[in-house]
Amino acid sequence: MRITSTSCICPVLVCLCFVQRCYGAAHHGSIKVTRNQTKHIEGETEVHHRPKRGWVWNQFFVLEEHMGPDPQYVGKLHSNSDKGDGSVKYILTGEGAGTIFIIDDTTGDIHSTKSLDREQKTHYVLHAQAIDRRTNKPLEPESEFIIKVQDINDNAPKFTDGPYIVTVPEMSEMGTSVLQVTATDADDPTYGNSARVVYSILQGQPYFSVDPKTGVIRTALHNMDREAREHYSVVIQAKDMAGQVGGLSGSTTVNITLTDVNDNPPRFPQKHYQLYVPESAQVGSAVGKIKANDADTGSNADMKYTIINGNGSGVFSITTDKETREGILSLKKPLNYEKKKSYTLNIEGANTHLDFRFSHLGPFKDVTMLKVIVGDVDEPPLFTMPFYVMEVYENAKIGTPVGTVTAHDPDAANSLVRYFIDHNTEEDRYFTIDASTGTIKTAKIFDREETPWYNITVAASEIDNPGLVSHVPVGVRILDVNDNPPELARDYDVVICENTKPGQVIQTITATDKDDSANGARFHFSLDEGLSLNPNFTLRNNEDNTASILTKRRRYSRTSQDIYYLPVLISDGGMPPLSSSSTLTIRVCACERDGRVRTCHAEALLSSAGLSTGALIAILLCIVILLAIVVLFITLRRSKKEPLIISEEDVRENVVAYDDEGGGEEDTEAFDITALRNPSAAEELKYRRDVHPEVKPLSRHHPSSSLDSIDVQEFLNQRLAEADLDPSVPPYDSLQTYAYEGHRSEGGSISSLDSATTHSDQDYNYLGDWGPEFKKLAELYGEVEPERTT
């Protein structure tokens, strides 16, 4: 097999390759390279060697960025079976076959139809095969070969990370590394010098330099001062083809900033300063500022101000404002123009962060002198003391002097001073002050036990200038007098057991006194001497402000007396001594053998009756059962009786049932029936049957004619007179029955009392026609017998 290619092997012979390609195209590939033949000079004979397989391929080369009008010739495929008669057909498959690369199927010539870019794709893998055109059978096995895209210098170097921002300390040594820049070239670094980059500096000299191979930027001068120039703009160029003429280039900008170091000491703009401060300036207030200049920045410019000497170091102090880096002068003590009119201060300003590399540029501090002039002002009165403490007894009368405050004018004029109390608080109203002398007096009566201390404020002003006012606090302590008697500390619940022995302590008592300890801390306890000797209890004073209550006999009985009252007299040790009497209540209780109280009241009553707890429970249970039986009985008696009308319909429309029934007309035992009859039916007037009358009635018998004509009013008055004159009337209210309704009327009586034996002529048979609702009523009033239903 023969492989013919016009691609040049040596990169240096690019131009020769181009001439070769043109020449080869004109002679139709007359340059042949085969594996089993050796090329000789034209006219010489060929020497044949042992035949080898010819269908073996080398790689082809094609130049990128081909811009010619004709397709670019790549190479030629040839099989040893090809006799030149067109019977062999060449087929090309693989990457770009038919689109980028085309082949003449008769001659095997391969051409590139498009301009290729090596930076997008470096090579193409294709497959070649030779077949018999008539039988379509392969003459050679399919073989793979590569077409490489050969690079040309068509890409300029690029700085992918630019522009750059970098810093370097000022005053750095020459050659200090600043930054390394790197440019990339997309061309093939293995082919020629297309990707070989060289760096150079276009802008930034003579301050900086760049290494042409590595791209490292370095300082090129000694002691570059930030205070002189801080920012630099350096332009770096990268050029391929090793920097030769015709190479492509790219550039980037590097912005370099010099950072600060402490290479400048602070300096005061002036060596002498003068400050005016009025004598009225408040202690602790800022009275002035001073500042030393430092050309450095940041922490390198931080400084501290101090007062190193001078006659005002004890009167003034200085601090440093970290934001403004100023020295703040403050007042430590009050100024007095009349005593001292000026002060001299030596102030030092020094850096706090030192760099010993630049100590030769020091010292990094500076000193200036400050003269402070004190200004005279009209000052308010000045009290002789910053505060006053006075004392007065609680029983002092109104107008009693408490104390005196004194103030004077500190100025040379020495004006007169007026004193007053503003009375802004309730405590101020307890005192008055003499406007001329400053003497404070009481205005109300004090009670130490209620308020032991008063805080007031006294003001003083100049008579000539009332607007200048000064104030001073005054504390008044109220002294105690013995005006409160002692009393028991609490209400004691004293309990004594029935089996207590004589001389046994049953209670220890203490006392309290509202007065101060000097007038009431010592208490003396005793029994009231005005009473007779107590046979049951005695009291022992313990001489420690306590007293003990002791028993005097052996046993105490709750049945005979369960409570004892013991008067106790308590006196204090004040001058004069005060005393009070209190009564202790002592209860007698039943106790266990170990002294624990069992009970004090309920069991005592039971014991006196001779009943135990179990017997009491049984009695109470019986009482409860009896009460339950009585309540049940009363409930059954009052239970609802069976109604007269029993019907399946149980018609109850508009019927109100009254369950309480009287004994009827047959019942003559429940009450005197004559009281319900009219006077004409009574033969004689009846008296009360519960007592025996001792007087005769006003009238015994009345004729029938007189009874018929008697009036109701007269009848009522007669009965009232009998009741009033009856001496046997009991002292309780009694019922007088007045059932007489008066003389018979023409219409007759509507009462059923006199109609028990009469029969009504009225016919009630029509009730049966009213329907089933009135069936029961028709049976009651009709003559028809009711139907019995089972």
Side-chain angles (χ1 to χ4, degrees), residues 443-457:
K444 294 183 179 181
I445 300 299
F446 302 102
D447 186 358
R448 190 203 66 85
E449 287 71 33
E450 181 179 352
T451 306
W453 186 276
Y454 289 86
N455 292 308
I456 63 175
T457 301

Side-chain angles (χ1 to χ4, degrees), residues 399-474:
T400 300
V402 179
T404 303
V405 296
T406 304
H408 67 278
D409 184 9
D411 298 324
N414 195 14
S415 301
L416 296 178
V417 176
R418 183 179 66 89
Y419 304 93
F420 60 93
I421 299 176
D422 292 334
H423 296 107
N424 294 326
T425 64
E426 185 64 26
E427 294 184 353
D428 293 335
R429 303 180 187 276
Y430 280 81
F431 302 92
T432 60
I433 190 170
D434 190 293
S436 302
T437 62
T439 301
I440 300 175
K441 299 180 180 180
T442 60
K444 294 183 179 181
I445 300 299
F446 302 102
D447 186 358
R448 190 203 66 85
E449 287 71 33
E450 181 179 352
T451 306
W453 186 276
Y454 289 86
N455 292 308
I456 63 175
T457 301
V458 176
S461 64
E462 296 181 7
I463 296 179
D464 298 337
N465 189 359
L468 294 176
V469 181
S470 58
H471 300 80
V472 66
V474 178

Side-chain angles (χ1 to χ4, degrees), residues 107-403:
T107 62
D109 293 331
I110 301 174
H111 291 80
S112 173
T113 61
K114 295 183 178 179
S115 177
L116 304 180
D117 188 355
R118 189 201 67 84
E119 286 70 36
Q120 293 183 357
K121 191 171 181 63
T122 59
H123 65 277
Y124 296 85
V125 179
L126 295 97
H127 301 271
Q129 190 175 21
I131 63 174
D132 191 318
R133 191 180 296 273
R134 292 187 299 274
T135 62
N136 286 333
K137 293 182 178 181
L139 300 175
E140 301 282 356
E142 185 179 80
S143 180
E144 180 181 284
F145 66 97
I146 297 175
I147 299 178
K148 285 191 174 181
V149 181
Q150 199 165 7
D151 183 51
I152 64 173
N153 189 20
D154 60 342
N155 291 279
K158 293 182 180 180
F159 293 92
T160 56
D161 298 332
Y164 301 87
I165 299 176
V166 67
T167 60
V168 63
E170 65 170 332
M171 309 299 291
S172 298
E173 297 291 337
M174 185 177 66
T176 301
S177 177
V178 179
L179 176 69
Q180 182 178 11
V181 294
T182 302
T184 58
D185 196 318
D187 292 328
D188 190 358
T190 63
Y191 181 77
N193 295 325
S194 298
R196 184 178 177 185
V197 179
V198 175
Y199 299 96
S200 61
I201 184 167
L202 300 181
Q203 178 182 321
Q205 295 175 332
Y207 307 104
F208 299 95
S209 63
V210 64
D211 189 293
K213 294 181 179 181
T214 62
V216 176
I217 302 174
R218 302 179 185 275
T219 58
L221 293 178
H222 289 283
N223 301 330
M224 298 178 65
D225 192 2
R226 184 197 65 84
E227 288 73 29
R229 182 177 178 182
E230 184 177 4
H231 301 285
Y232 295 87
S233 180
V234 179
V235 179
I236 303 297
Q237 182 189 63
K239 189 174 184 180
D240 59 11
M241 296 300 293
Q244 298 177 5
V245 178
L248 303 178
S249 64
S251 63
T252 186
T253 301
V254 181
N255 295 313
I256 302 175
T257 301
L258 298 182
T259 57
D260 184 59
V261 297
N262 192 8
D263 59 341
N264 294 279
R267 292 290 180 264
F268 286 103
Q270 301 175 211
K271 289 301 181 181
H272 299 276
Y273 291 90
Q274 186 170 305
L275 178 64
Y276 173 83
V277 180
E279 63 174 339
S280 60
Q282 297 295 322
V283 174
S285 62
V287 296
K289 297 179 181 180
I290 193 170
K291 183 177 182 180
N293 297 328
D294 194 324
D296 296 322
T297 60
S299 61
N300 296 316
D302 290 344
M303 64 183 67
K304 181 180 180 182
Y305 297 92
T306 56
I307 300 175
I308 56 177
N309 53 40
N311 57 5
S313 58
V315 180
F316 297 92
S317 64
I318 191 168
T319 57
T320 304
D321 190 331
K322 295 182 179 181
E323 298 294 331
T324 61
R325 296 187 177 91
E326 294 176 330
I328 309 300
L329 191 66
S330 302
L331 191 62
K332 292 174 60 179
K333 295 181 179 180
L335 301 177
N336 192 331
Y337 174 80
E338 287 72 24
K339 292 183 179 181
K340 192 172 183 61
K341 296 179 174 56
S342 65
Y343 297 90
T344 300
L345 305 174
N346 291 327
I347 299 177
E348 178 186 79
N351 284 141
T352 56
H353 300 86
L354 300 179
D355 193 337
F356 295 102
R357 296 177 301 173
F358 310 103
S359 59
H360 61 282
L361 301 177
F364 285 83
K365 60 183 178 180
D366 195 15
V367 179
T368 188
M369 187 181 68
L370 174 65
K371 184 177 181 180
V372 180
I373 299 176
V374 180
D376 185 22
V377 295
D378 192 2
E379 300 174 86
L382 181 64
F383 285 94
T384 56
M385 299 177 62
F387 61 91
Y388 293 85
V389 177
M390 303 177 183
E391 295 178 345
V392 65
Y393 283 98
E394 62 177 325
N395 61 351
K397 298 180 180 180
I398 297 176
T400 300
V402 179

